[in-house]
């Protein structure tokens, strides 16, 4: 039985109106990982309760907009990008449920960031303005190509998933990153400039966030699909 994975999407305005967009690469990652993805639509509704997420077996937080800095008590930096209050509201509600119910959770790009904020941490609103000596994290290269190296902590779930490799190249499409790490999370990969590239929960519950885009890499780097497989296995209760 394939577990059902709730996937969040990005607010998108089209010529037909406003809707919720999800890149097919996330969908294919979940399917090839062994799960069935279901997109959670964005809505103006403020009344989001547990039934929005309770029928699913796991939660995938996809990439997208910047998280509203007010959600971590900071006024917006001039380089803040597009934000989506609807998306923040939805994701904070369902992350809270997933954490309370020990539902497996995978966060990608914005996903690692919103996870950290939901757990009480903060973000750099723009690493290029706020982190001295930062390297290029907004690549101009094919999406499948890894442009910077991450170093993986050997005592992590990530290390096992990526075949005990201490460092791997990953792609990079972010101008924000985790600043103050939230309680309940631990850093499991970084770049040489000190940017946090992966976190995990400190307990046994599968909570994993990555700052890169594995869904854009797995067709060329099979090990990146193992992340989706490990997540889906956790959703099966394995
Ligand atoms: Mn990066």
């Amino acid at each position: 039985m394939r577990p059902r994975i709730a996937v969040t999407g990005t607010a998108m305005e089209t010529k037909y109106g406003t809707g919720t967009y999800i890149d097919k690469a996330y969908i294919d990652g979940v399917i090839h990982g062994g799960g069935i993805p279901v997109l959670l639509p964005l809505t103006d509704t403020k009344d989001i309760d547990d039934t929005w997420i309770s029928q699913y077996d796991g939660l995938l937080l996809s990439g997208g907009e910047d998280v509203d800095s007010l959600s971590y008590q900071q006024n917006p930096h001039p380089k803040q990008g597009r934000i989506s209050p609807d998306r923040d509201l939805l994701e904070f509600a369902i992350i809270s449920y997933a954490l309370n119910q020990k539902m497996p959770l995978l966060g990608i790009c914005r996903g690692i960031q919103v996870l950290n904020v939901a757990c009480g941490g903060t973000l750099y609103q723009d690493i290029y303005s706020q982190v001295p000596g930062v390297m290029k994290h907004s690549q101009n290269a094919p999406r499948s190509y890894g442009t910077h190296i991450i170093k993986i902590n050997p005592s992590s779930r990530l290390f096992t998933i990526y075949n005990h490799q201490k460092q791997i190249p990953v792609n990079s499409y972010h101008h924000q990153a985790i600043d103050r790490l939230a309680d309940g999370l631990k850093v499991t990969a970084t770049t040489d400039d000190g940017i946090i590239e992966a976190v995990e929960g400190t307990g046994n519950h599968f909570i994993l966030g990555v700052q890169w885009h594995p869904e854009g890499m797995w067709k060329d780097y099979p090990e990146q699909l193992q992340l989706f497989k490990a997540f889906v296995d956790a959703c099966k209760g394995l």
Side-chain angles (χ1 to χ4, degrees):
M1 193 66 177
R2 286 171 170 261
R4 291 169 301 172
I5 314 290
V7 184
T8 57
T10 301
M12 185 72 73
E13 286 175 29
T14 73
K15 62 182 179 180
Y16 306 109
T18 304
T20 311
Y21 172 80
I22 184 70
D23 194 299
K24 197 154 76 72
Y26 293 101
I27 297 303
D28 286 338
V30 170
I31 291 172
H32 287 266
I36 291 292
V38 183
L39 178 62
L40 296 184
L42 295 170
T43 168
D44 296 332
T45 306
K46 305 289 182 249
D47 184 21
I48 295 171
D49 62 24
D50 288 352
T51 57
W52 282 67
I53 183 74
S54 56
Q55 70 259 44
Y56 300 109
D57 303 303
L59 171 60
L60 172 57
L61 302 164
S62 66
E65 303 90 336
D66 288 354
V67 178
D68 184 352
S69 59
L70 291 180
S71 64
Y72 46 94
Q73 291 78 50
Q74 290 183 12
N75 281 311
H77 185 280
K79 297 279 189 183
Q80 182 187 71
R82 194 163 65 97
I83 63 170
S84 168
D86 291 344
R87 184 171 187 179
D88 288 347
L89 189 78
L90 171 68
E91 290 189 338
F92 286 134
I94 61 180
I95 290 168
S96 170
Y97 178 89
L99 296 174
N100 287 332
Q101 299 298 317
K102 299 198 185 306
M103 175 184 278
L105 188 161
L106 175 62
I108 294 178
C109 199
R110 168 192 161 93
I112 186 178
Q113 297 169 5
V114 71
L115 169 66
N116 185 56
V117 175
C119 293
T122 67
L123 304 179
Y124 291 118
Q125 294 191 45
D126 182 63
I127 55 175
Y128 300 111
S129 324
Q130 297 178 310
V131 182
V134 75
M135 64 177 72
K136 186 175 175 76
H137 288 270
S138 311
Q139 75 185 45
N140 304 101
R143 204 159 177 89
S144 63
Y145 189 73
T147 57
H148 71 50
I149 301 291
I150 58 163
K151 291 182 174 164
I152 301 176
N153 183 334
S155 58
S156 66
R157 202 186 283 273
L158 199 66
F159 187 66
T160 306
I161 293 170
Y162 284 86
N163 304 321
H164 301 92
Q165 297 181 87
K166 287 191 179 133
Q167 48 184 51
I168 58 170
V170 298
N171 61 12
S172 198
Y173 292 94
H174 57 111
H175 80 109
Q176 299 199 325
I178 291 175
D179 179 6
R180 197 186 73 239
L181 186 70
D183 289 344
L185 298 178
K186 62 177 182 179
V187 175
T188 56
T190 53
T191 36
D192 277 341
D193 53 5
I195 295 295
I196 294 174
E197 290 273 341
V199 299
E200 294 174 26
T202 52
N204 289 330
H205 167 202
F206 188 106
I207 303 172
L208 205 158
V210 297
Q211 188 56 75
W212 66 95
H213 283 276
E215 83 287 355
M217 297 186 76
W218 62 264
K219 286 179 182 163
D220 289 337
Y221 298 85
E223 71 219 35
Q224 296 284 354
L225 187 60
Q226 289 174 196
L227 180 57
F228 287 96
K229 286 183 175 166
F231 169 54
V232 171
D233 281 351
C235 297
K236 289 178 186 166
L238 297 178

